[in-house]
Amino acid sequence: MKRMRRLAVLWALVLLVSGCGGQSPSVSGQEREGNLASGAMGRYMETLYAFPEEVNRNGGLNWLDDGSLSVISYGAGLYRSLDEGKTWQAEETSWYPLIENVYCLSAVMGPDGTVAATCSGQMSEAVRTVYGKSVAEDWEGNYCVFALPDGSVKVVDFGFSQEDGNCLSSFVFKEDGRLFAADISGRMYEVDVEKESLKELFVAEHSLGYLDFSQEILMAVGDDRLYLYDLEQEVLLPQDETVDTFIRQKILDGTVSYTSGGYPLAVMGSSEEDVIYLACNDGMYRHVLHGSVMEQVIDGALSSFGDSYISIYRMKALENQEFLAAFGPSVGVARYNFDEEVPSMPDREIRIYSLREDKGVRQAVTAYKKEHTDLYVRYEVGIDSDSSTTTEDAIKRLNTQILAGDGPDVLVLDGLPAAAYQENGMLKDIRTVFESMDGEEVLFENVVDSFTEADGAIYQMPLEVRVPLLVGEKEMITRAQDLESLAAEMEQIRAASPEGGIFGIYDPEAFLRLFGMVSSPAWLDEEGQMDVEAVSAFLTLVQRMYDLELSGAIAKQRETIKRQDAEMASYGIDVSKQRTLAADNVLYVSEGYASLAAGAVEGIQLDLDTVTSVIRVQEGLDYCLFQGQGERLFLPVAMVGISARTTQPEEAEEFICQMFCADTQEDLYDGFPVNREAYDRRFVFFEEGNSNGTMTLQKADGTEQELELYWPNQEERAQFTACMESIAVPVLTEENLCELVYEEGVKVLEGEKSVEDAAAEIVKKSAIYLAE
């Protein structure tokens, strides 16, 4: 694949229901409080059925005419269930070898047993044999495998190639056996397997996600709307504004499908005329097409829908007002039946709050609620993605609730004035929670120590951590132990190489964020106020380094990077924050745009493995902890604490325990787990040293380089673990204070303001903010 920064890798990896009688019982979000107070009865209960361990990445559930269910696992083959998902049996097939050990994007089975699979990459020998036509040895593209009920198998090339960057990404069978497909460019087709042809139906603005049917309407989820195509009239129907608004609120980053399979938002039809259902993390909703109401049927807080790391594979409405949903392999199949004998809302409640949505927290919420069905676990977010609420307004509202005795029980402190909360006695000492953890629940001792006060109290702890790394020539990075010494090394590089990038970063905000990431703890004095001398020193050093960067910039290279940044920005990616990632920046070294790279790593795949793989092939390179105005720094993620005014102290502590246990932490992917066992499990996800894919790098001299990614081996794992065990100082997570530095710092780097004036302005504004 052509490598245009991390965006291109992620994009390439992507190439990696009827019959509900009557109206479903429902509980809207607005009714929740009233039901809790009034003792209303009845809600959907969830029963989970596990998939076999062998069923990993798969094509989702299929409903067959004989009443059975099937699922095609890309790594294990066909599995069938005769009892609606309760138990599964493997079946031998003649067609599975054709999709085995290749990259399969979608594999589904129709009502009559017809199989349709779309694959990307080179054709295996098994595929070439069935295809029967001459194919170049190095041919790469998109081909489809079809297995018919009579036992015949065919391979079809619809003409998608590696060069045009397009392929069929998903298939869906209608109940009458008609087959439809979407490509990654957003085109929707009807497939004629016999004639080996595609009939284009419509073109979406972007790629399409979940596909299903409502009577004769084909429904396709886009990133900002639901496409409704009338199969009889062969026209796109008018948009449903209520549904489109709902989708825009739920699909925040443009992602409509996941590389591992499944979707963030799904839609299904119903036997009720014009009634459809949509499901996402918030639960399942009933909607009358072109009506004005989204009616919540299943609350995500009381079901597996609420797990942010669970994607929805397939859904179907059953008889008797029941539903069946297939989630990811770690969950399996869920059946929902309405029970009139249970309270519509549990009679006890625990409230968890974060300023912004946090996937790790939602994951812990899901794990906790599965073991506490008698407790409503409410996850509250201060700033919704589509909200005009400012950070200051959200914090003021939260403070008012806390002071009035109506605040949340558990606080995620990222972005909140945690130091002020602690100083004012608003946080509970939770040391006993962590003292009780042993065996598989032991946390990294150095991380725990970094949040332990002099008197032994602990008021907050991060769910995960990100580790900042500096990559470059070994002797050079060994000498660069702070901003001052790093600036000196940059001067040496510039003296030796008057032209060329050093870090290859020419955007002033991105430059500030990169070095601010490892300097922010120094900006606060002992009283929690902004330190004018520390801020001035930071701005002075970063200005010095930025001037060095610009002094040797090559116009052509700078323009290339600018185009790449613009491409990322067009996909809604914050480029200045993206340039704080080590995996992105280290590729500039390989490509010849930079001699040093720095940034945080938050995981292994397409992250730490990118750093270690570059070091494997580029002689002399190594990495160490990236240090700025502080030493042994790390970035805490999802800092959690308990309100001193909680009315549910035992439940809050139980919830904290759940957040930090190995099973919960193992599935968190916004950083490295602070639980030792979960951290170790992360490294054995793939076999050490095995290939993890390849990428083609476009080098600054116009040539290309194939970079093979490898899962870290024992030596690489030990090196990074030593870094994990040495981190000791969390960086500043109070984003408003950091943003003040970056806002004024850009003016310094662009020559609009002096360091002295900018530092004074930062201190003045921070004092006003902290006083509030």
Side-chain angles (χ1 to χ4, degrees):
M1 71 187 83
K2 304 295 182 186
R3 182 58 162 77
M4 297 289 284
R5 309 266 58 81
R6 187 175 191 163
L7 172 65
V9 173
L10 296 175
W11 183 246
L13 286 179
V14 171
L15 301 176
L16 241 155
V17 177
S18 71
C20 178
Q23 180 172 329
S24 299
S26 63
V27 179
S28 70
Q30 290 76 13
E31 294 173 318
R32 185 179 296 144
E33 292 289 349
N35 287 346
L36 184 59
S38 67
M41 301 297 289
R43 76 170 186 262
Y44 274 97
M45 303 300 289
E46 177 182 81
T47 304
L48 295 174
Y49 306 121
F51 281 130
E53 289 185 4
E54 297 79 12
V55 175
N56 45 30
R57 185 170 169 272
N58 65 81
L61 284 186
N62 308 289
W63 281 264
L64 278 65
D65 286 337
D66 62 7
S68 67
L69 296 177
S70 73
V71 61
I72 299 171
S73 172
Y74 301 141
L78 177 66
Y79 285 77
R80 192 183 298 271
S81 173
L82 304 179
D83 52 14
E84 295 191 305
K86 296 182 181 69
T87 60
W88 295 87
Q89 297 78 39
E91 291 188 4
E92 293 291 330
T93 68
S94 60
W95 48 263
Y96 176 63
L98 276 69
I99 68 170
E100 187 177 18
N101 298 322
V102 301
Y103 192 80
C104 192
L105 290 86
S106 176
V108 298
M109 180 175 281
D112 64 353
T114 298
V115 172
T118 172
C119 306
S120 181
Q122 294 186 339
M123 288 185 177
S124 66
E125 285 304 315
V127 172
R128 290 171 183 266
T129 299
V130 174
Y131 187 49
K133 300 177 184 179
S134 177
V135 179
E137 195 65 33
D138 61 349
W139 181 92
E140 287 192 32
N142 176 222
Y143 59 89
C144 297
V145 176
F146 299 106
L148 306 180
D150 63 8
S152 61
V153 181
K154 62 166 63 177
V155 173
V156 179
D157 175 8
F158 287 112
F160 297 102
S161 68
Q162 188 82 352
E163 285 69 30
D164 63 26
N166 198 6
C167 69
L168 292 182
S169 56
S170 60
F171 281 126
V172 63
F173 277 101
K174 197 172 182 292
E175 286 193 338
D176 60 10
R178 295 166 69 185
L179 178 62
F180 298 83
D183 68 21
I184 64 171
S185 297
R187 288 181 173 83
M188 194 75 216
Y189 308 91
E190 182 167 0
V191 184
D192 189 322
V193 177
E194 182 180 350
K195 294 181 180 179
E196 301 183 4
S197 64
L198 300 175
K199 176 184 177 182
E200 185 176 306
L201 304 183
F202 65 87
V203 182
E205 291 188 17
H206 302 109
S207 57
L208 294 169
Y210 196 95
L211 309 172
D212 203 48
F213 305 90
S214 176
Q215 310 298 328
E216 291 304 310
I217 298 174
L218 169 63
M219 302 182 293
V221 175
D223 61 1
D224 62 354
R225 62 173 287 192
L226 179 66
Y227 291 87
L228 302 167
Y229 183 85
D230 190 317
L231 294 170
E232 293 181 335
Q233 301 297 320
E234 297 188 341
V235 294
L236 270 176
L237 298 175
Q239 292 182 231
D240 186 315
E241 293 300 331
T242 301
V243 169
D244 293 351
T245 299
F246 180 85
I247 289 175
R248 287 192 293 270
Q249 291 171 344
K250 305 306 176 184
I251 297 181
L252 307 179
D253 59 0
T255 300
V256 292
S257 63
Y258 296 130
T259 58
S260 57
Y263 307 86
L265 188 146
V267 60
M268 67 179 173
S270 163
S271 62
E272 299 176 79
E273 187 173 357
D274 293 334
V275 171
I276 65 173
Y277 292 86
L278 293 94
C280 60
N281 284 149
D282 288 337
M284 183 185 290
Y285 294 78
R286 180 182 183 273
H287 174 71
V288 179
L289 282 171
H290 301 290
S292 61
V293 177
M294 297 296 299
E295 196 176 24
Q296 190 178 60
V297 176
I298 300 173
D299 192 335
L302 298 171
S303 66
S304 291
F305 285 110
D307 188 339
S308 64
Y309 281 105
I310 290 177
S311 53
I312 305 167
Y313 280 65
R314 293 302 297 173
M315 299 192 312
K316 187 177 179 67
L318 308 175
E319 296 179 353
N320 302 319
Q321 302 178 20
E322 296 186 358
F323 302 95
L324 206 64
F327 295 104
S330 63
V331 176
V333 178
R335 189 182 186 98
Y336 297 95
N337 67 290
F338 192 77
D339 190 336
E340 298 178 349
E341 301 300 319
V342 299
S344 61
M345 295 290 292
D347 58 4
R348 295 186 303 128
E349 179 181 74
I350 180 173
R351 295 167 58 194
I352 295 92
Y353 177 96
S354 66
L355 194 61
R356 291 184 174 81
E357 173 86 10
D358 187 278
K359 293 179 180 179
V361 174
R362 191 171 286 281
Q363 178 81 356
V365 166
T366 301
Y368 185 73
K369 72 191 176 191
K370 287 178 181 177
E371 297 183 9
H372 299 81
T373 56
D374 61 335
L375 188 67
Y376 186 83
V377 186
R378 184 193 297 274
Y379 180 28
E380 302 172 354
V381 177
I383 303 175
D384 292 328
S385 61
D386 61 339
S387 172
S388 59
T389 303
T390 65
T391 300
E392 291 88 345
D393 288 342
I395 293 174
K396 286 178 182 178
R397 187 184 306 121
L398 173 64
N399 291 344
T400 300
Q401 291 176 344
I402 294 173
L403 293 173
D406 189 35
D409 302 287
V410 177
L411 291 165
V412 180
L413 296 159
D414 295 37
L416 298 179
Y421 286 178
Q422 182 176 327
E423 183 180 345
N424 291 307
M426 297 168 66
L427 297 178
K428 187 177 185 295
D429 181 1
I430 52 177
R431 70 180 122 181
T432 56
V433 174
F434 301 106
E435 287 173 352
S436 66
M437 291 183 168
D438 54 18
E440 287 190 350
E441 312 311 336
V442 169
L443 308 186
F444 275 91
E445 185 177 354
N446 54 308
V447 175
V448 174
D449 288 345
S450 70
F451 289 97
T452 302
E453 303 296 320
D455 62 358
I458 297 175
Y459 296 101
Q460 54 186 316
M461 189 67 63
L463 274 183
E464 308 161 82
V465 297
R466 295 171 183 164
V467 182
L469 302 179
L470 176 65
V471 183
E473 294 291 336
K474 187 169 185 178
E475 291 185 5
M476 185 184 303
I477 63 174
T478 300
R479 293 191 296 265
Q481 293 302 305
D482 54 27
L483 286 189
E484 183 72 46
S485 56
L486 180 57
E489 291 303 316
M490 290 181 68
E491 288 174 342
Q492 293 295 319
I493 293 172
R494 182 55 73 222
S497 303
E499 287 192 338
I502 300 177
F503 282 95
I505 300 175
Y506 306 106
D507 176 79
E509 183 182 350
F511 208 82
L512 284 158
R513 287 185 182 278
L514 179 64
F515 297 101
M517 180 176 66
V518 289
S519 299
S520 60
W523 301 341
L524 291 181
D525 61 25
E526 294 181 357
E527 276 133 32
Q529 301 293 317
M530 291 294 268
D531 186 326
V532 66
E533 291 186 4
V535 171
S536 296
F538 172 75
L539 294 177
T540 300
L541 286 167
V542 174
Q543 182 184 36
R544 174 180 161 194
M545 292 189 289
Y546 189 63
D547 289 344
L548 287 166
E549 187 73 69
L550 293 183
S551 68
I554 298 173
K556 184 178 179 180
Q557 292 184 6
R558 189 172 177 178
E559 186 59 34
T560 298
I561 292 172
K562 185 178 180 180
R563 285 198 306 270
Q564 293 172 350
D565 290 348
E567 181 184 0
M568 285 194 289
S570 71
Y571 284 90
I573 296 173
D574 187 327
V575 176
S576 64
K577 292 183 179 178
Q578 192 77 5
R579 295 307 305 270
T580 63
L581 303 177
D584 272 39
N585 295 335
V586 74
L587 293 174
Y588 282 98
V589 177
S590 284
E591 293 169 330
Y593 292 102
S595 54
L596 290 173
V601 290
E602 58 190 43
I604 300 176
Q605 197 165 24
L606 282 178
D607 206 340
L608 177 63
D609 67 343
T610 305
V611 174
T612 55
S613 297
V614 166
I615 289 173
R616 279 191 186 196
V617 298
Q618 195 144 339
E619 187 176 352
L621 283 188
D622 203 351
Y623 73 82
C624 64
L625 283 179
F626 178 31
Q627 303 186 131
Q629 283 181 291
E631 297 181 351
R632 300 161 63 194
L633 301 174
F634 66 92
L635 287 69
V637 179
M639 302 280 295
V640 296
I642 296 177
S643 170
R645 301 193 180 195
T646 177
T647 59
Q648 304 283 351
E650 291 184 9
E651 289 80 0
E653 289 191 1
E654 283 183 1
F655 180 73
I656 296 289
C657 283
Q658 182 74 57
M659 296 179 93
F660 288 92
C661 75
D663 289 343
T664 299
Q665 290 251 313
E666 183 179 6
D667 293 325
L668 304 182
Y669 292 97
D670 286 332
F672 286 92
V674 298
N675 179 290
R676 287 296 309 234
E677 174 65 21
Y679 172 86
D680 290 338
R681 292 178 191 175
R682 191 70 57 84
F683 277 90
V684 297
F685 185 76
F686 290 132
E687 187 174 345
E688 66 162 285
N690 273 10
S691 174
N692 198 24
T694 62
M695 62 177 77
T696 301
L697 305 181
Q698 298 278 15
K699 299 182 68 106
D701 61 6
T703 62
E704 293 186 348
Q705 174 190 347
E706 288 292 326
L707 177 65
E708 187 103 19
L709 298 179
Y710 294 94
W711 199 252
N713 58 30
Q714 285 292 331
E715 182 180 350
E716 291 162 341
R717 172 180 173 178
Q719 180 180 5
F720 184 74
T721 300
C723 290
M724 272 289 290
E725 291 173 339
S726 69
I727 56 178
V729 180
V731 304
L732 184 62
T733 60
E734 200 160 324
E735 59 185 53
N736 271 0
L737 298 179
C738 294
E739 293 302 322
L740 288 176
V741 176
Y742 302 144
E743 180 183 348
E744 293 297 318
V746 168
K747 299 172 185 176
V748 172
L749 267 55
E750 292 183 338
E752 297 178 12
K753 215 171 207 182
S754 69
V755 167
E756 294 74 19
D757 289 346
E761 185 70 11
I762 291 166
V763 171
K764 182 176 84 172
K765 288 181 177 179
S766 66
I768 296 171
Y769 166 74
L770 291 170
E772 294 177 347

